[in-house]
Each structure stands twice: as C-alpha cells, then as structure tokens.
Amino acid sequence: MRHASLGVLALISCLPPLARAQSFAPDTPEPGSVAEIAQATTETRFLSPWVAYLPASASAVSPRSFLHRIPGAPGELVNSATAYAYCRALAGSSPRVRVFTIGRSEEGRDIVLLAIADEAGIRDLERLKAATASLADPRRTDAAAAEQLIAAARPIYYFNAGLHSDESGSTESVLELAYRLAVSEQPMIRRIRENLVVLINPVSNPDGRDKQVEWFYRYLKGKTDQATLPRQAPPYWSHYAFVDINRDAHQAVHETTRAVFRMMFDWHPQVIHDLHESVALLLTWNGTGPINEHIDPLTYAERLELSFHEVQTLTGFGMPGVWTWNFGDDWAHLYLDAIGINHNADGRGYETFGNGSAETMRSEQPDGNTSVEWYRPLPAPPVASFLWSARDNVNYNETAMLAALDDSAQQAKTLLRNYYLKGVHSYRKGLDETPFGFVIPDGQGDPTRVAQLVGRLLALGIEVQRATSTLTLNEGSWPAGTYVVRLDQPYRNYAVDILAPQSFPKDAPESYDDISWAFPAHYHLSVTATADPQLRAAPLAPLTEAPHIAGAVTGAGPVFLLKDSGQEGLLEARYALRRFRVAIAEHAFSVAGTDYPAGSWILAAQPGLAAAVRDAANKLGLDFASTSSVPEIARHEAPVPRLGVWIPWADTDTAGWTRYSLDQRHIPYTYVRDEDIRAGKLREKYDVLLYPHVDLELAEQIEGLYKSWGPMPFKKTSATPSFGTPAASDDITGGIGYTGLAELQRFIDAGGLLVTLGNGSMLPLEGGLVRGVRREAGGVPRSTAGGGAASAAASQNAVTRTPGAHLRVSFARPDHPIAYGYSARTWVFRQNFALYSVPRRWLRMAYCTVCLDGPIDRSGIVLEWGDKEGAPFVVSGQAWGEENLIGRAAILDMPVGKGHVITFNFNPLHRDLNRGDQRMLWNAIINWRAIVGGS
C-alpha cells in the first residue's frame, strides 16, 4: 500500500485559503485519527481535508473508539448489530442525535434510523416533521401559509446505506458521517446542523449486510488479488431479493422498502439519497434520456444542480473520477430513491468504486469512464494503474455527502419552497389538465385483483375514492362501488405515471431496466381515464384502507361450482381445499341460468366440503354456487401436485420473486437446490418442478458457480450465524452439472411436468430436454449498465428487443388448460428474452440435402406473440423488430417421454408486478395431471 500521511499534510498546505480553513480548526483531531486515515488511504488525491481526520469530542462516542478502528479500515467490516449499537451509543452521548426503529427485516432484524441536527432541531423534530407534511399537501396549505412554514422549517435530507450488500462501503461511510455531523464545529458542519435535519439509515438491508460481512470474513479476508478472488457475495442478501431489492418502489413488498416508505410518509423528506458502488470513482446519479414527463422539472433541475456541485467540489480538491449524467436513463423511476422522486422530493444516488471487499486491491475490472467529458472534467486514472481501499471509498462517499448537505443547507428555503411548489404543480395539473381522474370498475372478472390494485395504490400514497351511487361521466356510467382516483391530489403525477400506459421512444438509447410499468396492463384490468370535470362533483367516499373482497356461497345443494372468471386466487384456493376432490370443466356449461366457461370448478359432494368452501370464499373473495347434482360435462380431476421449486445457487435473485409470490399465497412447495437435482429420484418427490427465470446463460445454469471456488458452504455455524437462510448447503458450487441435467430428463420421462419461466427456458430448449427448437437471437435480459455486458450485448444487438414491455398475445390453443380464465386475445409482460424458432419435427443433423430441418410443427404452441385480429402489438412500453417475434411461441407445451415441458418465453412472476399474467402459470400447476395425461 502507498502510505499517504505526509501527502495529506502536503495536500492541506497547497489548498487555497478557504479550503485550508476547512481543514482541522476549530476542531481538534482525535489522537491517531489523522495518521490512521492517511495510512488507509492509498493516494493523497483520494482524500479531501474534510475527512482527513476525526474530530475529537469530550462526550460523544466516536466510531474509532467504539469499533477500535477507523471506518474504512482495511480488512474490516461492521455488521448490523454493531452498527446499530454504535448508533445508539452516539445518540446516547450526543444531544444532537436521535435514533428510531422504522421496521424489521424478513429475518427479524431491526431497521434503524438516525436523525441529526443541532440541539434546537432535535428538540423541534415533531414540529419540523409537521411542517414538511403540511408543505406536501397544497390543499391544506395555501401559498401564504406555506411561506410562514418555510420561514421556520428545515429541509430533511435522508441517506440510505447498505441496500446492495456487496456494496459494503456506504455503511462505514455514514457511521463516520453521523459522528462528524454531531460533533464537528467546522462552520460548514454547523451550517448543516442548523439548517437541515439529516436522516441516516445505516443498514437498510440488515439481513444482507450480516450475510455479506460473514461471507467476507469466511471467504475474502486477506485476499487482495482481484483476479483470483472467489465469489465475492453470498447467494442471498435479503430473504427474497438480491440486486432486485432495488426494483421495488412500485410494489413495496420488501421490508427494506416498506421501512423507507414509513420514513417518507412520517418525515416527508426533500431528498432521498441512496448509496451504491459500481463505477470509478464516484458517479452522482443523473440519467440520460429519455426523460419521464411525469416528473416535475424542478426535480430534474435540483438533481442536476446538486450533482454538479458535488463534481465541482471534489474536482476542486483534486479528487479524480467524479462525474454525473451518463449512467442509466431517467425513464423508469422504480428504484428505491424513486420513492422520493415519485412523491415530489428528489431521488439521488452515488456509485462509488467499491472492491466488493474490505481489502485493498488493484482493480482488474474494465471501466470505460476514463475520458475527459463535459460531465467528467477530471476522469479516473486508467484501470489497474492504482490501488483502491475501503478508506478511499469512505473518503469519496463522505466528502460528496458533505458537499451535498452543505449545498442543501445554503439553499434550504429554496428546497422547501420547491418541494411545496412541486405539490402545487401536481395538484393543479389534476384541476387544469386532462385526465381529471381514473375509473376502476370493481365488477371486473377478478374483484380480488381489483382490490389488490387499489390496495397497492393506497400503499404508495395515491388517494382512492369509491362511488356511493351511480357514477355517470362522459366516458360512461358505472354502478355504486366503483373505485375512482381523482387527480386533484398532491401525487397526481405519480398516479398518472402508474395508471397510464408508457410509450418509450423508438429512437431512444438503451434502457437501464423496464420501459413499462402501467398497473392496468400488469393487472389485466380495465381502467378508464376521464376528461370529464364533473368527476369532482360526483358522490365519492375516500378509502382509508385496502378493500377486502369477501366471496359468497349461494344455493343449498351438496355440489359446489366455481365460475372461472379469471380469478388469480385459484391456485391458493386449490391448496386451501387440498383435502377435497376438484374437477375442472373442459367445456362451457350452464346451470340454473348461469353460464360457466371452461376452467370452472366442480366439487362433488364430500364430507366437510361445505364449511371449507365457505371459508375459502370468505378469505379469497371467490363466489361459489351450490347445486343438487354434478353437471354432465367433460371434465378432468385436478389433484394438488407435489410442487418443487428449483433455485440454482448461481442466481437466487429473480427466483426470489417466485418464492415470494408462492409464500404470499400460502402455497406449500419444496425448495429444491442444485444438489437435490443431482441426487435424483425427482419423480418420487415431485409432480411439478418449477424452474423460475434466472439471469444465467445456459452453461451457468448447468455448471453453476465455479467448482474451483469450492467447497463453499453456506450454512449456519458459530462464525456464520446468518448463513443457511432461507436454504443451506455444504457446497454451493458446481450447479446441477450434466448429472443433474440427466436427472431432469429422467423426471420428465417418468411423467413429471417441468415448467420453466423466462430465461430458465434456455435449459430445456437449448440443453436438449426439448428437441426441435433453436435459439435464433437474443440473450440474457440485462442492460449493459445493469451488469452482464456480454449477455446484454446479445440482447441489445438483437433485431428484436422488448426490454420490459406489455405485448399482445393470442392463444393458439384456446382449449388448453393454460388458457382457462383468459380471452383468446390478451397481453403479457416481456423482457429481452431470447428469440426461439417455431418448433419443427426435427432439426438439421448434418449438412446434406436430406439432413435439413424437418417440417414445422405448431402443435406445441399454446400461446403465440401478436394479436390475431391485428391490434397494435405494444400495449405499453415499446418493441423493436416485433415482426420477427409475432407468430412465435410465447408458451410451449412439449411432450417428452411420459411427461411434459412447458416453457414460458416471458416471466409471469416479474417482481410481483404482472399479477394478470400469473394465472397462466397457476393454470399449469393446477391442471398438471390433465396436461401430462393429454400426451
């Protein structure tokens, strides 16, 4: 390591007078802190005078004294319990700090929040919170009242650390920042304390933090050659999600996200700032185009101003590699910081150059961010030309955070006024511009899914009302009970953003993530935008909680019928009624004047059935009718399957959403690991094996994590108490291997049903389990910036691209059980999955005239891309080269041996968003025996 202690003094001496004045005085450095920080910093240019020391305090506990090291010390990481203990010790020793608990993780750990201000600010926290809450709603605060509030209020600036667990430097950074803000008497720090309330969530994902810290000490400590490191992250961070925990702003299903929402609705901060690591050396977020028109222009302006202030400040200190703008896009606001953006605050973030380790090392990762650009005036040095340490990371993070806080403190009243104005702008648009509202009929095919949509809107802060009598507008008439979103509300812009379809420009650059998130499309529901101003005079009652749909049971006979109207809850109902026989009608029929489509349930008389049906109806919002006898109609039995869900150790992230969806519906399943596949005898254990979408190429799906890293246990021990959750292993390397692939073949041949989703369909289609289909284009659906550059290139360079869009499909086999509950023409959500050929009887075996591809066989196509009646292909989002996709299989059902393989060319369980697509998967599981028997 290149020691920098003398260089730090040289740096301070050569700074301009103003910067020198900000060095130590009036603070006194904590003895030893200057030398330790200098020693842990690899080069003088990676350190600013603001963070070159720890201020001494006679009363407040410093992180150095508590941890017995400086934050960012080489080879050390702090776990959540120790971080929280320090936060409580700091709050207990400083009148400028308060500590709160804002949530608990899925695995039972606290999620803690620090509030920091001067003594007056801490004393007035409740008043300051009430002020920003009043400023958030212009309906209760007019302009004159707002100015009075602004005069006595303070902006609230929230930092979120530790969301992505292998990006480990942010927690260390904010612990030091909290202390510095609490004790330093530097004029800049006093200005921050006196003009702001700073909130810090030091470990937003504590489950992942503890796993990562234990992983570091078990597998990474002492290893400094990046080229020979083993896997740098555990297979799990949070209980369900990995990277995708930062794709939850529209759903709020993870406890980490819910905690931030609680903070947001309690404190109404003006800035939500999320801390990450990826690129050299510090990127302050501002995405390129296209721009989302539903975000207030003031938000874009504020974010740009803050970012360029950070670039200017750190560049002025001679710190290279600080830049903004050219990262991601500003189209989809679905990340954690977007909780702020979507609610009239500023959502911000950093990407610093983390090593994925607390050790100092020379990075071997390619990085193209080394050129001089208008947004990067002093680029980072070339890759592999410098050492980078955990302390370097802290230096950059903390210096930039201080710059942002000081800038915010100096324009505190402007930030508050703009926050109020953004609410005014949004509210006024709801009065002055169409649409004036959205109408959500409650009598659609699945009332429970309607209620789920309404509940999600309420959880996101969108106000929803309900018609108390007939609602008549220019667009139509709806009965009492209809849900209405009036747009004369502070979060009008967010409501429009999630209830109206998206139209991503064809000529825009690559998207960073999804380009469509329209809730009506995700939920397969009809939502009508209204331009009728009479909506504001309509008889509406506000909803204060999510509606619960209680189903009904009518009639008095011993036989029960359930009409299939597309209810998403049928899978949960089948398992709730697992003790009883259920038959499913294969054709439409009528009983007592009621028409029942194919897919409807018939439950013959059975002991205890009546009580169980009533319970299921009440809990799941399903309507059953009873009759005296079983209808005479072709039907098949639908026994409850033994369900296994295979989660490969190489990617538990996207599969975690599958686990979440099943857990929320109380579906019992067996968690199947790679080693369980290798062990075989799968047909003895499972009827249906579900393989979720994974972000892995074919070889990765088979061979998994590199065997050279193993054995790599992931199980609970005294040294690794957080390992082994939600699954444990003696060795997570090696994947299923070709032995496991053979076992999957045996499972199918013996009569099992293998269902694969999204990119998981690579395995059967390209691994030889299914014959007659070849990949023709595309690859793993990642963005270049989002990770997996080679795989992303395969997707982005493909002629046909659908990067997270809602697209029309048609059932090629409308009588197939997967089609139950759907119209013959519908839509689904698709990312950039591979493009596969239409099945053929055989594929070319050699190069000769009689060895060419066999004839096309479309019998396995259940659902195909495109609308058979010519409706526009894109429902929401965008598509490129769609002509190459239309007519190809969206769902295949292929007989193999005595079993079947069902492959989805999309993911029906995408981040718990596309609720309307899920029934197709549930249908496959419920009707597994009929599907297998149909061969």
Side-chain angles (χ1 to χ4, degrees):
M1 178 186 296
R2 178 177 174 182
H3 299 291
S5 53
L6 294 177
V8 171
L9 298 178
L11 167 67
I12 294 168
S13 67
C14 69
L15 287 170
L18 179 60
R20 285 204 302 272
Q22 293 289 330
S23 56
F24 296 156
D27 293 339
T28 299
E30 182 175 325
S33 66
V34 173
E36 290 173 23
I37 290 172
Q39 186 174 19
T41 299
T42 60
E43 298 188 35
T44 57
R45 58 180 173 167
F46 297 157
L47 180 64
S48 79
W50 289 353
V51 298
Y53 70 102
L54 285 172
S57 172
S59 56
V61 179
S62 79
R64 180 173 172 271
S65 63
F66 191 90
L67 301 174
H68 307 293
R69 62 173 178 84
I70 59 168
E76 302 294 340
L77 288 175
V78 62
N79 64 18
S80 68
T82 304
Y84 292 161
Y86 174 67
C87 291
R88 294 185 173 103
L90 179 61
S93 61
S94 172
R96 298 166 177 170
V97 182
R98 289 274 306 277
V99 64
F100 304 87
T101 299
I102 58 174
R104 286 182 69 81
S105 71
E106 285 84 354
E107 296 176 9
R109 295 173 176 87
D110 284 346
I111 301 175
V112 165
L113 181 73
L114 285 176
I116 305 169
D118 63 0
E119 289 85 342
I122 292 296
R123 186 173 57 250
D124 289 348
L125 279 182
E126 293 305 315
R127 178 185 65 80
L128 295 172
K129 288 165 60 177
T132 53
S134 295
L135 292 173
D137 191 346
R139 296 169 302 181
R140 57 188 269 204
T141 306
D142 63 21
E147 285 302 321
Q148 291 181 338
L149 286 169
I150 290 166
R154 302 184 185 190
I156 298 174
Y157 199 117
Y158 169 84
F159 286 108
N160 193 81
L163 182 63
H164 283 164
S165 302
D166 66 340
E167 300 166 12
S168 55
S170 59
T171 293
E172 304 269 331
S173 301
V174 297
L175 293 180
E176 181 169 302
L177 174 69
Y179 173 74
R180 191 179 305 278
L181 292 175
V183 307
S184 175
E185 293 303 326
Q186 291 281 0
M188 178 182 73
I189 302 297
R190 290 202 306 271
R191 182 164 55 242
I192 292 169
R193 279 200 304 262
E194 293 166 2
N195 290 280
L196 302 177
V197 174
V198 180
L199 302 180
I200 295 175
N201 183 340
V203 190
S204 64
N205 178 4
D207 296 345
R209 178 73 184 187
D210 287 354
K211 291 183 179 70
Q212 183 67 42
V213 169
E214 292 168 18
W215 189 268
F216 169 76
Y217 284 110
R218 174 66 176 83
Y219 294 113
L220 300 174
K221 186 170 174 61
K223 299 176 181 177
T224 59
D225 180 6
Q226 191 175 68
T228 60
L229 289 178
R231 178 182 166 103
Q232 292 180 258
Y236 275 98
W237 292 341
S238 72
H239 191 72
Y240 289 110
F242 205 69
V243 172
D244 265 9
I245 200 169
N246 195 28
R247 306 293 190 274
D248 193 33
H250 294 327
Q251 310 95 294
V253 302
H254 298 292
E255 292 302 326
T256 288
T257 316
R258 291 176 178 178
V260 177
F261 266 99
R262 289 188 198 100
M263 177 281 304
M264 200 270 299
F265 288 129
D266 188 26
W267 295 81
H268 296 87
Q270 282 59 67
V271 182
I272 292 180
H273 191 143
D274 199 15
L275 302 172
H276 288 267
E277 298 174 9
S278 66
V279 294
L281 288 175
L282 185 143
L283 164 74
T284 167
W285 289 353
N286 273 293
T288 60
I291 299 298
N292 187 318
E293 64 180 352
H294 300 303
I295 306 304
D296 194 288
L298 281 172
T299 294
Y300 288 121
E302 287 175 333
R303 291 166 64 218
L304 284 165
E305 192 278 332
L306 283 162
S307 290
F308 279 106
H309 178 78
E310 290 153 347
V311 173
Q312 180 182 10
T313 300
L314 273 71
T315 300
F317 283 133
M319 301 174 78
V322 182
W323 54 291
T324 188
W325 186 70
N326 191 33
F327 184 88
D329 60 56
D330 243 321
W331 177 257
H333 294 287
L334 46 83
Y335 314 99
L336 187 135
D337 73 292
I339 295 172
I341 291 176
N342 294 331
H343 295 89
N344 298 329
D346 294 336
R348 311 194 63 233
Y350 295 155
E351 302 281 346
T352 56
F353 196 49
N355 284 331
S357 168
E359 300 292 0
T360 301
M361 63 185 75
R362 193 177 305 277
S363 175
E364 301 293 335
Q365 296 297 322
D367 195 303
N369 303 303
T370 57
S371 60
V372 175
E373 306 289 348
W374 64 266
Y375 51 84
R376 187 171 53 233
L378 181 61
V383 172
S385 70
F386 62 94
L387 289 172
W388 186 256
S389 70
R391 183 64 209 186
D392 295 335
N393 197 2
V394 170
N395 295 340
Y396 270 73
N397 251 330
E398 193 178 359
T399 301
M401 286 188 283
L402 287 168
L405 290 174
D406 188 40
D407 192 27
S408 299
Q410 294 191 61
Q411 55 177 330
K413 303 309 177 185
T414 300
L415 277 175
L416 288 168
R417 189 170 294 108
N418 285 351
Y419 181 67
Y420 173 71
L421 286 174
K422 285 184 275 189
V424 171
H425 297 164
S426 188
Y427 167 64
R428 289 303 314 179
K429 278 189 174 183
L431 291 173
D432 301 335
E433 299 180 14
T434 59
F436 297 123
F438 291 94
V439 178
I440 309 172
D442 72 334
Q444 301 186 54
D446 186 1
T448 298
R449 194 158 68 243
V450 177
Q452 290 171 348
L453 169 61
V454 170
R456 184 156 280 179
L457 292 173
L458 291 171
L460 298 176
I462 305 301
E463 296 171 3
V464 184
Q465 298 175 304
R466 202 164 193 183
T468 57
S469 61
T470 300
L471 176 66
T472 301
L473 301 169
N474 292 337
E475 292 81 9
S477 183
W478 295 269
T482 297
Y483 299 105
V484 174
V485 177
R486 280 177 48 172
L487 292 178
D488 50 337
Q489 57 175 294
Y491 303 141
R492 174 266 180 198
N493 288 347
Y494 187 31
V496 175
D497 192 44
I498 56 181
L499 288 173
Q502 283 71 52
S503 181
F504 191 85
K506 276 268 192 182
D507 59 352
E510 176 195 354
S511 64
Y512 190 80
D513 206 274
D514 294 345
I515 60 173
S516 175
W517 49 89
F519 276 18
H522 269 318
Y523 281 74
H524 285 223
L525 293 174
S526 172
V527 175
T528 301
T530 176
D532 191 340
Q534 292 304 310
L535 177 69
R536 293 192 287 272
L540 304 173
L543 285 179
T544 58
E545 60 183 5
H548 170 71
I549 305 300
V553 180
T554 59
V559 176
F560 292 88
L561 306 177
L562 175 60
K563 180 177 180 179
D564 187 350
S565 58
Q567 305 98 314
E568 188 270 330
L570 292 193
L571 182 66
E572 186 171 356
R574 185 63 196 96
Y575 278 92
L577 298 170
R578 65 172 65 89
R579 295 188 296 113
F580 305 98
R581 300 188 311 278
V582 173
I584 296 182
E586 297 178 350
H587 305 290
F589 64 95
S590 296
V591 172
T594 299
D595 294 329
Y596 292 84
S600 297
W601 289 15
I602 302 169
L603 294 87
Q606 300 164 67
L609 177 61
V613 164
R614 289 188 178 89
D615 185 61
N618 180 60
K619 290 180 178 177
L620 302 176
L622 299 172
D623 292 332
F624 289 83
S626 62
T627 185
S628 58
S629 60
V630 173
E632 292 296 328
I633 189 68
R635 57 189 181 273
H636 58 258
E637 294 295 322
V640 172
R642 299 170 299 165
L643 177 62
V645 181
W646 169 29
I647 313 291
W649 287 115
D651 180 18
T652 66
D653 187 19
T654 47
W657 293 100
T658 296
R659 292 176 41 246
Y660 175 84
S661 294
L662 294 173
D663 288 347
Q664 292 299 303
R665 289 155 183 79
H666 310 99
I667 307 302
Y669 63 90
T670 300
Y671 185 115
V672 182
R673 307 165 303 167
D674 292 340
E675 52 265 53
D676 299 322
I677 299 288
R678 294 196 305 263
K681 298 184 179 179
L682 300 176
R683 189 65 187 93
E684 297 177 14
K685 305 169 188 175
Y686 316 114
D687 301 306
V688 178
L689 192 58
L690 175 61
Y691 182 35
H693 165 57
V694 290
D695 269 325
L696 301 170
E697 286 284 3
L698 179 62
E700 298 169 291
Q701 295 186 37
I702 297 173
E703 305 209 22
L705 301 177
Y706 285 86
K707 289 183 180 179
S708 60
W709 294 341
M712 188 172 267
F714 182 71
K715 59 183 181 180
K716 190 181 298 293
T717 69
S718 59
T720 57
S722 70
F723 283 15
T725 302
S729 177
D730 290 324
D731 184 9
I732 64 173
T733 70
I736 62 170
Y738 292 94
T739 298
L741 190 64
E743 293 298 339
L744 289 174
Q745 184 77 63
R746 292 189 183 95
F747 167 76
I748 303 164
D749 286 342
L753 176 63
L754 175 65
V755 182
T756 62
L757 310 181
N759 210 60
S761 294
M762 270 189 183
L763 187 75
L765 296 180
E766 300 180 40
L769 299 178
V770 170
R771 306 295 300 276
V773 180
R774 66 164 60 95
R775 175 161 48 154
E776 295 189 337
V780 178
R782 300 168 179 162
S783 71
T784 303
S791 297
S795 291
Q796 295 302 323
N797 294 333
V799 174
T800 301
R801 291 182 289 123
T802 58
H806 292 92
L807 310 171
R808 295 194 191 275
V809 289
S810 301
F811 278 102
R813 294 174 58 183
D815 59 341
H816 194 284
I818 289 177
Y820 292 160
Y822 289 92
S823 63
R825 300 155 51 234
T826 183
W827 63 82
V828 296
F829 182 84
R830 186 182 194 270
Q831 294 174 286
N832 274 334
F833 296 113
L835 194 69
Y836 290 99
S837 66
V838 173
R840 293 178 178 271
R841 296 289 180 85
W842 63 83
L843 296 181
R844 186 182 69 192
M845 301 297 176
Y847 185 71
C848 71
T849 303
V850 296
C851 305
L852 302 181
D853 290 346
I856 287 176
D857 181 2
R858 300 183 65 89
S859 63
I861 300 179
V862 176
L863 185 73
E864 63 185 79
W865 295 108
D867 185 277
K868 287 189 173 181
E869 296 187 12
F873 185 55
V874 175
V875 174
S876 179
Q878 192 53 271
W880 290 260
E882 56 265 40
E883 65 277 4
N884 299 313
L885 186 59
I886 292 172
R888 296 178 189 259
I891 299 177
L892 282 171
D893 176 11
M894 305 291 280
V896 178
K898 295 179 181 179
H900 274 237
V901 175
I902 294 176
T903 65
F904 285 70
N905 192 229
F906 60 98
N907 180 13
L909 299 179
H910 177 70
R911 299 173 181 164
D912 195 44
L913 280 167
N914 51 336
R915 296 278 184 93
D917 299 350
Q918 293 176 354
R919 253 301 295 274
M920 297 183 195
L921 174 59
W922 302 162
N923 284 341
I925 296 172
I926 293 170
N927 296 278
W928 70 276
R929 178 169 289 178
I931 291 171
V932 172
S935 60

